[in-house]
Amino acid sequence: EAAILTVAREFGAVDEVIVGAAGALAAPDAARALGDALLASLRVERVAVTSDAVLAHAGALGGEPGVVLIAGTGVVALAIDADGARRTADGWGPWLGDEGGGAWIGAAGLRAALRAHDGRGPSTTLLDAARARFGAPETWPAQLTGAAALASFAPDVLAARGDAAALAIVGTAAEALAATARAAGDGPVAMVGGLSGFAALRERLDLVPAAGDALDGALRLTA
């Protein structure tokens, strides 16, 4: 609430506030409580609190039915059909899911690097890349404790195109993303998020161009 109020006050008086909050679909009571709090503190006419994935869907597909695959640090696919029925796939977080996302790719690359370091696995250029980014391997467990830190190594994995370990990781990530999109539902699929621009992750997906971003989706929801 405090973060939203800080931003909202920069705009002055407004009539309506649309919030895309990660986790809102999984915690509807908390989402409603946030909406009620903002309604009181901002003194606006209307507040809507929904998932950031819903805003991404509304923006990417222009409010039409279909599937939006959001791939950044984490991964979730959201399908909304012509009747408004909603279904999600993955989005389970870095320890249980988000397969093929930035944290998943980064962690897989670091594991391959450590296997090479120990002699448990084949040599890989990912070991030198990880050393350059994070320092000595002995320091990695203390540094790399969160999803964002793991995801920071994903660009190195995606850039190591001549390395067998990296190619295997990226291929598996692409398969996982395609499976997540298929599991969510039918219809056109748009891909958004920080990893959406990597061709190697898109090659197993039949994608339509995203019509807009999450801000476009928020503006569409005002209608």
Side-chain angles (χ1 to χ4, degrees):
E1 180 188 1
I4 294 167
L5 290 176
T6 298
V7 174
R9 285 171 180 148
E10 296 180 14
F11 292 92
V14 296
D15 295 325
E16 184 170 13
V17 173
I18 307 285
V19 178
L25 294 181
D29 292 341
R32 178 170 290 279
L34 175 59
D36 290 340
L38 292 172
L39 196 63
S41 55
L42 289 173
R43 298 179 180 175
V44 294
E45 293 181 14
R46 294 175 301 279
V47 173
V49 178
T50 187
S51 167
D52 52 346
V54 170
L55 296 190
H57 191 290
L61 292 178
E64 295 299 318
V67 180
V68 168
L69 176 66
I70 305 167
T73 297
V75 173
V76 65
L78 172 65
I80 300 177
D81 67 18
D83 296 324
R86 186 185 68 235
R87 176 178 168 81
T88 60
D90 208 338
W92 295 116
W95 314 125
L96 301 178
D98 290 354
E99 294 182 22
W104 186 95
I105 292 171
L110 289 163
R111 291 188 185 106
L114 288 173
R115 285 194 293 271
H117 175 267
D118 292 346
R120 294 179 290 124
S123 62
T124 171
T125 61
L126 296 176
L127 178 55
D128 287 339
R131 281 195 180 113
R133 186 174 289 276
F134 302 114
E138 292 76 14
T139 70
W140 298 355
Q143 289 185 64
L144 304 170
T145 57
L150 294 172
S152 70
F153 191 57
D156 296 271
V157 180
L158 288 158
R161 299 186 182 181
D163 184 85
L167 288 172
I169 292 167
V170 174
T172 302
E175 290 175 3
L177 293 173
T180 296
R182 288 193 302 269
D186 300 321
V189 179
M191 184 177 179
V192 300
L195 297 182
S196 61
F198 289 95
L201 297 176
R202 299 163 61 98
E203 61 183 18
R204 290 172 172 81
L205 291 156
D206 184 13
L207 297 171
V208 299
D213 60 16
L215 178 57
D216 296 311
L219 294 173
R220 181 169 292 280
L221 260 63
T222 66

